Amino acid sequence: MSVDKLKKVNPKRFNMTLLSKHYILETTKQNKHMFELNVWTLWRVFIVQMGTKKIEDKLFAEIKGRIKEEDISAPVRKGPYYYYKKTLEGKEYVQYCRRLISDNQKVPSVNDTMPTGPDAPPEHVILDENIKAQQHEYYSIGTFKVSPNNKLVAYAEDTKGDEIYTVYVMDIETQAPIGEPLVSVTSNLEWAGDDALVYVTMDNILRPDKAWFHALGTKQSKDTCLYEEKDDTFSLDLEASENKKYLFVASESKTTRFNFYLDVSKHEEGLKVLTQRVDGIDTTVSHRGDHFFIKRRSDQFFNSEVVACAVNNTSSTTVLIPHRESVKIQEIQLFSDHLVAYERENGLPKIIVYHLPSVGEPLRSLESGQVVSFIDPVYYVDSSESEFSSSILRFSYSSLKTPPSVYDYDMKAGISVLKKIDSVLGGFDATKYVTERQWARASDGTLIPMSLVYRKDLVKLDGSDPLLLYGYGSYEACIDPSFKSSRLSLLDRGFIYVIAHIRGGGEMGRQWYENGKLLKKKNTFTDFIACAEHLIEKKFCSKERLCINGRSAGGLLIGGVLNMRPDLFKAAVAGVPFVDVVTTMLDPTIPLTTSEWEEWGDPRKEEFYFYMKSYSPVDNVKVQNYPHILVTAGLNDPRVLYSEPAKFVAKLRDMKTDDNILLFKCELGAGHFSKSGRFEKLQEDAFTYTFFLKTLNMTNHL
């Protein structure tokens, strides 16, 4: 059917959707090919009709032009080798590489650099994702772990985007496979010495429920089940201690977590209980010397405390870092002589380094830790892999105007050394950009922090500037202000970019999360609306220039606020949005439902049913005008089934009273996290930005 004929059938609906109810309801195995064909055909029709393909291509070229295509990551020292990832010009995926450290006896220093000249030890490419990905539309390695003796590597690959992995083990030097692959597993695996693995599998609703011990060279069917979690509200996690002497299998819900430990040197003894299952107690564990170290959260100590117990007496604990109501302990990292705490205070991340007494000496409360300092007013910090036996802490850092950076910090001298900062080509100058913080007052008086960035020579701050407001607000996730080079294509066109740190996230501590979940979930939506209203009031933008964006649970946020205040926004993008909340949470046979009743509520209970029904986007679409909307999905998405956003789009199409654009874009070869190639991801950014520019009438001068 031609473009003109499509328009004649229903001119109002033509540019409002790419997917009719027919395609939504009849996607069976028998007609899947026809579904994909029709979606693709309609999508191409839209691209031609809207006349945006040239704009998208120009933006993509611009975004790609900022990338240093041939590059390496900051090398990580492990034993006698430097390990790193390498990207090649024109290639979508990475190579995993290593080089021998010629002076391995030298004590590691923050000033060490990996030699790369002709006299340096040769580079060895362990695995090339580009070769592996040739036969697949989607390719992702979820885990890549080298054995303790540096002879073998185990890696988990996903070739569909459904997050069901196959694990391969190979000899690093010869590339020879070791044994048969492990199939239908998660990406969560650890080495148990040099000749065994521990891994996790899922049940039929993709809940990680069993931990297994696998001896290399044996069949998967002969593996030993270490633990099975039968409570379908709990899922398994697996971690290794920093010194690799212990593995920890944890079973966790949204409020409770308890742990078992496996002594790698005595794996035949199996798992032993480390922390008991107690409702409302959440523990994360590690090991050093003759002590286990435990980060422990409870209703009383809601921002967590750090305690230690003797390996031979796990029932008696000593408080090392006490609970503080204004400081949340996010994570701890152990070294042979130090403990590093990643904390949050007033919404900003912090790193505190504590010196530990020698192994064998008594542990007591830790005093006067040294604070690692940062320069930006708002920023992002994350832990990185470091050598347990060294005194060098590695961490990553960025801000809305500072590209991703890797630092080594000498914990004895208190000195930070920049090891790598991502190159941004095309004349990027960080001094042109301003980052700042704003606070919006919510309807109940709570102050909501926002992180902003804009180009100071382009914005007018008189209400006429275009603005993109991003939000998430679920699962205690912290959406910290980090750098994204593709975002410069908006900033350099005069956009202001803002992150709303709304309740339901974890930016302001545990209570911030508790006040945006279950029967307080609507705070997430009203906080976001308050941020939008504040930005308009302070003349950062106007309703006619305000765009919003969110993914997954952030897509739920977008759907919710569109129903509540459609008049407030010009354009919205809801990526893989969780929008059919009640229907999904009523079905325990689909992924994530049972484990998420503690996040959203169990709608089989009347109180939760009616509360969830009052905000679920699909259930609250109204006969009213809506802004321009783009909704995306992934055909293989196990987290948000593509039928949810498709249903939302269909209902909007039937009920909305305007002629604004409503698009549904379903990626046919991807899952929840979109396409897998690095340039493919940039192409998606280019498309999204084209949508915003088109709806704001900013495409004429591109």
Side-chain angles (χ1 to χ4, degrees), residues 192 195-199 211-215 222-226 262 267:
D195 53 8
L197 294 169
V198 173
Y199 64 93
W212 301 83
F213 183 89
H214 172 73
K222 300 296 183 182
D223 291 350
T224 302
C225 183
L226 297 172
L262 178 74
H267 60 76

Side-chain angles (χ1 to χ4, degrees), residues 77 82 103 106-114 392 408 419:
R77 181 168 175 158
Y82 283 115
D103 54 349
K106 180 183 175 184
V107 176
S109 163
V110 291
N111 297 310
D112 288 344
T113 57
M114 182 182 72
I392 299 172
D408 278 351
K419 306 304 292 185

Side-chain angles (χ1 to χ4, degrees), residues 196 343 364 461 523 532 574 580 662 693:
E343 300 180 346
R364 59 183 66 88
L461 301 180
N523 285 337
D580 197 7
L662 171 58
L693 293 169

Side-chain angles (χ1 to χ4, degrees), residues 133-204:
Q134 286 177 356
Q135 305 302 316
H136 306 286
E137 187 175 354
Y138 180 97
Y139 189 83
S140 175
I141 289 183
T143 298
F144 183 92
K145 295 198 172 179
V146 176
S147 61
N149 63 7
N150 292 281
K151 293 183 178 180
L152 308 175
V153 64
Y155 63 95
E157 69 174 22
D158 172 10
T159 58
K160 293 182 179 179
D162 58 7
E163 300 175 55
I164 300 174
Y165 291 84
T166 300
V167 171
Y168 299 88
V169 180
M170 73 175 186
D171 184 291
I172 291 178
E173 290 297 331
T174 67
Q175 308 282 295
I178 306 297
E180 298 178 357
L182 305 174
V183 299
S184 298
V185 303
T186 70
S187 62
N188 206 348
L189 75 149
E190 297 287 352
W191 284 96
D194 294 315
D195 53 8
L197 294 169
V198 173
Y199 64 93
V200 175
T201 59
M202 299 174 287
D203 62 11
N204 58 0

